[in-house]
Amino acid sequence: MKFATLPGTTADGRLVLVSRDLRFALDAAPIAATLIDALERWDDVAPQLQARYDDLNAGRAADAFAFDPAVCRAPLPRSPQWCDGSAFLNHGRLMERAFNTPPIPDFDTIPVMYQGASDDFLGPSQDVPLPDEAEGIDFEGEFGVVVGGVPMGVPAERALDYVRLIVQINDWSLRGFGPREMKTGFGFLQAKPSTSFAPVAVTPDELGSNWRDGRVQLRLHVEWNNRWFGHPSGSEMNFSFADLIAHAARTRRLSAGTVVGSGTVSNASRSAGSACIAERRVIEIVDEGRAKTAFMRFGDRVRMAARDADGTQPFGVIDQQVVCAGVSHVDETPR
């Protein structure tokens, strides 16, 4: 199934099912009014939602309407928890050089993860308001999973049983805050503003063979101001989503609707480009002795879309502009 959230009367929006080709949508009510409602009652409502989804794709839904991803909120406008890993070893090692920090102990055997803000996720076309260009505005293209309720101590061998949805993410960063916050040992706070999501969340079966070994086997195509920036593949995760879920649930339960991120998608081959500016800057330092690429300015745009071999974009597209906080060009209705 494919889901999206449109503006609604509450902060959790209005849940719709989206056709496989992303052309049409269908209200999920009265089965489930919001995505968090559906996730909390998944075993009860999933068969009904699947039947409605099948009707939509077969052209049997008389109340279907044209799907407009530009008006979508994040699939989950807010979530009980947002846990972001750093599952791509290539990216992690480069970031150690970027922040001039000592190697993280056991980095290649124990996942690294921080807990981010989950109360204000941004939709795929919403402006991104940030306070100051001088703080090093950066995008970070990722994949993520949304889980049902996960018991504490779940082993990695069973963790994928709890994956309900797969999502595409832009985990915005303010690099100027990063070094200090990393050195405190308490993790990120000011360095991590609101995270953005592609319009559509999909069940694992929708990706077919592109969901394999607990990894999204797709390239994430990134453009900055209409110029190619990278197309790294999600296949090179050092830790799978099974590993990340088990790590997050080691000492706590995970509530239904928890989002677990992969960290910035990164490949060893330089030909794949990058999914964040900081990584490109470190590569420039290694190859040329200094960083040449500046961080983002107000008015800049970033576009991200995972594509399969046929060019299909299963999650839709993130296409956003960075603006000075307080200067927004989108409707601020409840999301």
Side-chain angles (χ1 to χ4, degrees):
M1 290 180 281
K2 294 189 174 185
F3 297 94
T5 294
L6 302 180
T9 58
T10 74
D12 295 309
R14 164 190 164 206
L15 180 62
V16 297
L17 290 151
V18 181
S19 62
R20 190 165 283 116
D21 60 8
L22 306 188
R23 294 178 59 203
F24 298 99
L26 191 61
D27 275 308
I31 302 169
T34 65
L35 187 52
I36 190 64
D37 176 35
L39 290 163
E40 290 175 341
R41 300 186 295 120
W42 189 260
D43 290 342
D44 293 331
V45 303
Q48 301 171 67
L49 291 169
Q50 182 68 58
R52 195 148 168 79
Y53 181 67
D54 292 342
D55 286 344
L56 174 62
N57 284 298
R60 297 190 298 264
D63 48 346
F65 56 90
F67 177 59
D68 182 2
V71 301
C72 285
R73 304 306 187 185
L76 273 173
R78 55 182 178 174
S79 164
Q81 189 171 202
W82 159 228
C83 298
D84 197 21
S86 182
F88 291 86
L89 190 60
N90 183 66
H91 178 76
R93 293 304 187 204
L94 287 170
M95 289 304 97
E96 287 175 350
R97 300 184 71 163
F99 292 121
N100 194 28
T101 56
I104 298 171
D106 305 311
F107 182 67
D108 57 346
T109 57
I110 300 175
V112 174
M113 186 172 287
Y114 79 93
Q115 189 174 36
S118 60
D119 60 326
D120 186 34
F121 291 146
L122 297 178
S125 301
Q126 287 182 265
D127 285 345
V128 182
L130 295 170
D132 192 342
E133 290 178 345
E135 296 299 346
I137 301 169
D138 199 356
F139 49 81
E140 292 193 61
E142 307 188 10
F143 295 110
V145 296
V146 184
V147 299
V150 179
M152 181 171 63
V154 67
E157 294 76 18
R158 289 173 41 211
L160 294 183
D161 294 343
Y162 299 93
V163 172
R164 300 290 179 257
L165 300 167
I166 303 169
V167 291
Q168 178 191 308
I169 298 168
N170 183 359
D171 182 39
W172 291 96
S173 288
L174 296 175
R175 298 299 187 185
F177 293 109
R180 179 190 175 278
E181 292 190 333
M182 292 181 71
K183 290 174 183 176
T184 66
F186 275 79
F188 295 121
L189 181 68
Q190 293 173 340
K192 289 295 182 180
S194 296
T195 301
S196 301
F197 287 76
V200 178
V202 309
T203 51
D205 60 290
E206 290 290 330
L207 295 185
S209 62
N210 289 318
W211 172 248
R212 190 171 66 253
D213 301 324
R215 296 166 172 85
V216 178
Q217 312 280 334
L218 293 171
R219 290 193 175 274
L220 183 59
H221 294 256
V222 181
E223 295 177 5
W224 177 14
N225 291 334
N226 298 316
R227 294 185 178 182
W228 177 88
F229 198 83
H231 56 250
S233 170
S235 63
E236 290 190 23
M237 286 175 71
N238 186 56
F239 298 102
S240 70
F241 279 109
D243 299 320
L244 296 180
I245 294 166
H247 179 77
R250 175 76 180 274
T251 60
R252 66 175 78 175
R253 296 176 297 168
L254 305 182
S255 299
T258 294
V259 184
V260 179
S262 66
T264 304
V265 180
S266 180
N267 291 175
S269 172
R270 299 286 177 83
S271 64
S274 298
C276 80
I277 300 170
E279 183 174 296
R280 174 181 279 190
R281 285 169 59 87
V282 177
I283 292 171
E284 290 170 346
I285 291 170
V286 172
D287 290 352
E288 304 175 49
R290 65 182 182 90
K292 299 190 302 182
T293 302
F295 289 110
M296 297 184 80
R297 306 290 300 272
F298 295 143
D300 283 4
R301 302 194 70 91
V302 63
R303 178 184 174 91
M304 298 181 180
R307 298 180 197 160
D308 65 17
D310 297 326
T312 301
Q313 300 172 160
F315 307 101
V317 178
I318 297 174
D319 188 355
Q320 293 180 293
Q321 182 181 43
V322 175
V323 299
C324 183
V327 181
S328 180
H329 306 290
V330 295
D331 180 25
E332 292 298 335
T333 53
R335 56 183 185 271

